[in-house]
Amino acid sequence: MPTVDILVTEIGSTTTVVNAFDGVGTPTPTFVAQGQAPTTVLDGDVTIGVKQAIEDLKKNLGVDDLSWQEMLGTSSAAGGLKMTVHGLVHDMTVKAAEDAALGAGAVIKMITTGKLRERQVDEIENKKPNIILLAGGVDYGDEETILHNAEMLSKLDRSIPVIYGGNKAIRGEIKEIFAPTEMELLIVDNVYPEIDQFNIEPTREVIQDVFEDHIIYAPGMDKINDWVTGPIMPTPGAVMNGAKLLKEVIGDLIVFDVGGATTDLHSVTDGAEEIQDILISPEPVAKRTVEGDLGVFVNAKNVANRIGYKQLKEELGIDVASLVEDKAPIPKNKEEERLIERLTEEAVKVAIERHAGSFKEVYGPSGRTTIASGKDLTLVKWIIGTGGALTQLDNNRNLLGQVRVKKARKKLFPTLNAQVLIDEDYIFASLGVIGKEYPEAAINLMKQSLQITDDIIEKEEAK
């Protein structure tokens, strides 16, 4: 029976993918093969889809059986990790907490600022979050609002983790408030310890730990926990981890992950110094935005409505309405492929529009001044495409190249200097998981899939 080192299963909203890797831990790791199958949430057990994907993997390898040394996993099935975020001021502590949650792969269902009210607590209860993130106040700053919010949240008194990433001066009082409840309190470093300073990595790590230890996302996920020998990460968190690893080797980058339900955009860049000098509020180096209305299967209707059915019919010359209604997760013919390409193009365009920062003109006593807000992407060197939809398109490079501009004017988009790379093997999320334990192997395999050599990196650095 053939054996591989690592099998990584990715349970997505529409498709389950299994990737096999060998030679991990050696100087020459290899991607062996991939298997795919529809995700089987609606069948009541996601392991059905995993088993089918493994069977497809064995078929692609031409073997009757297969074993592995380790199995790792990612999941975004059943809507991902639901969180609510509560802080003091939106552009400060709430924004820091929100970035930490999104970067870890969470789906934020509710955000509040200032003092919580009874009506808002009722709304939190109705949202049924998997995790609550409570922040607020720089260290040794505001105490009253955070303590009030802790008291209000403690009224929920249900078995749910509460992460506290606020003013460290009142950690003792926060512990006392939640001690009598069933809520598990997890204390991390303040996400906004000083004015204009983000510290979101500790919170990201704890959110991912909670994902693995406490959350069962979809029917059958408890069985997956028994199968894996390493961590199960939220798929977006795995992509972010891969992006951060790769940035240290090739430089500033963004990663588009276009899926069936969402389009995620990850950026890892400090931005230009001249832009930082005029930013009205700080931005994290690593940032993720998730567009829950932009997907090419579950949310295909939303994207089609954005474009317009009449416009789509004129562009593609096909009966778009019936295709959108009956489309399968994996395209069955050329017409569906053309539709997915057009929907993906729209998802990419809207995602970067929402993710990128912008210049603004303000007027004061001294006249007109230019300021900037949001994420600066102007120094991005690499635009990477991954995800089941994007990686399969013949025109994916040209599609991603359209997000570049000659010069940043109103929006802080990547410039024409940025190069487009495609995750040809569709393994980026898997490598983000592998990278937790085997970072060198993960980076090596990323470079193979992106078809990027040391010569290409050296040329880019020399510019």
Side-chain angles (χ1 to χ4, degrees):
M1 178 191 305
T3 301
V4 295
D5 286 346
I6 295 179
L7 209 64
V8 183
T9 177
E10 299 176 28
I11 304 172
S13 58
T14 56
T15 305
T16 294
V17 176
V18 173
N19 292 311
F21 301 92
D22 219 356
V24 176
T26 75
T28 56
T30 57
F31 167 57
V32 179
Q34 182 178 91
Q36 294 191 25
T39 296
T40 51
V41 171
L42 296 180
D43 294 331
D45 189 347
V46 294
T47 62
I48 297 172
V50 174
K51 292 174 181 177
Q52 291 172 347
I54 292 174
E55 288 303 312
D56 187 51
L57 170 66
K58 290 191 288 188
K59 178 182 175 182
N60 293 335
L61 285 172
V63 299
D64 295 327
D65 211 347
L66 182 70
S67 63
W68 47 88
Q69 299 294 327
E70 297 182 64
M71 177 183 273
L72 310 178
T74 76
S75 175
S76 57
L81 182 68
K82 295 186 295 183
M83 289 187 64
T84 62
V85 174
H86 313 283
L88 189 59
V89 179
H90 189 274
D91 287 342
M92 296 181 183
T93 48
V94 170
K95 188 175 185 301
E98 182 182 9
D99 284 334
L102 287 171
V107 176
I108 297 178
K109 294 296 184 179
M110 183 179 178
I111 296 172
T112 66
T113 60
K115 289 187 175 182
L116 280 166
R117 300 184 294 277
E118 292 286 351
R119 176 187 60 78
Q120 291 175 313
V121 174
D122 291 340
E123 187 177 351
I124 296 168
E125 179 70 39
N126 292 334
K127 298 288 185 185
K128 292 182 170 53
N130 302 119
I131 300 177
I132 292 173
L133 177 54
L134 172 62
V138 298
D139 285 339
Y140 306 105
D142 181 276
E143 298 181 358
E144 180 186 352
T145 301
I146 301 95
L147 291 172
H148 168 84
N149 288 349
E151 292 282 3
M152 295 294 284
L153 290 171
S154 69
K155 295 179 181 180
L156 294 169
D157 198 11
R158 50 188 290 257
S159 182
I160 178 174
V162 175
I163 299 174
Y164 176 66
N167 184 352
K168 68 180 183 182
I170 54 173
R171 287 176 180 170
E173 291 93 325
I174 296 293
K175 289 180 182 178
E176 290 177 2
I177 289 170
F178 286 102
T181 74
E182 294 185 17
M183 307 174 88
E184 178 186 11
L185 179 65
L186 303 167
I187 293 179
V188 297
D189 292 343
N190 194 343
V191 295
Y192 197 79
E194 298 178 18
I195 297 295
D196 292 346
Q197 180 183 337
F198 279 2
N199 180 37
I200 61 181
E201 290 304 323
T203 301
R204 280 181 178 168
E205 292 175 3
V206 169
I207 292 170
Q208 291 179 357
D209 289 343
V210 171
F211 179 100
E212 184 179 355
D213 295 339
H214 294 271
I215 310 301
I216 296 173
Y217 290 86
M221 279 302 295
D222 53 336
K223 300 177 187 176
I224 298 294
N225 281 317
D226 293 335
W227 293 3
V228 299
T229 54
I232 298 178
M233 292 180 67
T235 302
V239 175
M240 176 61 86
N241 190 57
K244 288 158 60 179
L245 282 172
L246 192 60
K247 188 263 187 186
E248 296 304 313
V249 178
I250 69 173
D252 294 10
L253 54 83
I254 59 175
V255 181
F256 285 95
D257 186 356
V258 183
T262 69
T263 294
D264 296 353
L265 179 51
H266 304 74
S267 61
V268 191
T269 174
D270 288 301
E273 287 188 16
E274 59 268 27
I275 303 297
Q276 289 185 29
D277 290 342
I278 59 173
L279 274 178
I280 58 175
S281 60
E283 288 285 327
V285 175
K287 178 176 182 175
R288 167 187 171 243
T289 48
V290 54
E291 308 305 338
D293 59 334
L294 303 177
V296 298
F297 176 61
V298 174
N299 282 313
K301 288 182 181 179
N302 290 337
V303 183
N305 283 328
R306 288 190 60 88
I307 303 169
Y309 281 86
K310 182 179 179 181
Q311 178 69 26
L312 279 171
K313 189 171 184 180
E314 289 176 0
E315 290 182 18
L316 305 178
I318 55 180
D319 184 2
V320 174
S322 62
L323 276 182
V324 169
E325 192 67 35
D326 302 326
K327 190 168 65 61
I330 299 173
K332 303 185 295 293
N333 52 52
K334 290 293 182 182
E335 287 188 342
E336 289 193 359
E337 289 177 5
R338 286 160 60 196
L339 175 61
I340 287 177
E341 180 174 318
R342 183 63 183 89
L343 297 180
T344 302
E345 180 182 14
E346 183 71 10
V348 165
K349 182 181 75 173
V350 176
I352 197 163
E353 183 75 28
R354 295 175 179 175
H355 186 97
S358 60
F359 289 118
K360 294 181 180 180
E361 303 291 340
V362 296
Y363 294 85
S366 59
R368 186 176 66 179
T369 304
T370 300
I371 61 171
S373 63
K375 187 67 175 176
D376 174 23
L377 305 179
T378 57
L379 291 190
V380 163
K381 295 181 178 180
W382 310 98
I383 300 170
I384 297 172
T386 188
L390 191 53
T391 56
Q392 305 304 312
L393 299 176
D394 293 335
N395 196 38
N396 47 25
R397 292 179 183 274
N398 291 334
L399 188 153
L400 288 183
Q402 294 176 21
V403 307
R404 301 174 298 180
V405 294
K406 186 175 182 180
K407 182 179 180 181
R409 297 189 185 278
K410 185 175 181 181
K411 296 292 293 186
L412 300 173
F413 288 156
T415 69
L416 296 178
N417 291 325
Q419 304 296 309
V420 175
L421 303 171
I422 300 298
D423 178 20
E424 300 287 354
D425 296 325
Y426 180 23
I427 56 176
F428 205 93
S430 290
L431 298 179
V433 183
I434 290 176
K436 298 287 283 186
E437 185 70 26
Y438 307 101
E440 291 184 5
I443 291 169
N444 194 325
L445 289 161
M446 284 181 204
K447 290 163 68 176
Q448 292 178 37
S449 182
L450 296 170
Q451 298 181 355
I452 183 169
T453 64
D454 291 339
D455 288 343
I456 294 174
I457 297 173
E458 289 172 5
K459 287 180 182 178
E460 186 63 31
E461 290 176 344
K463 288 183 179 180

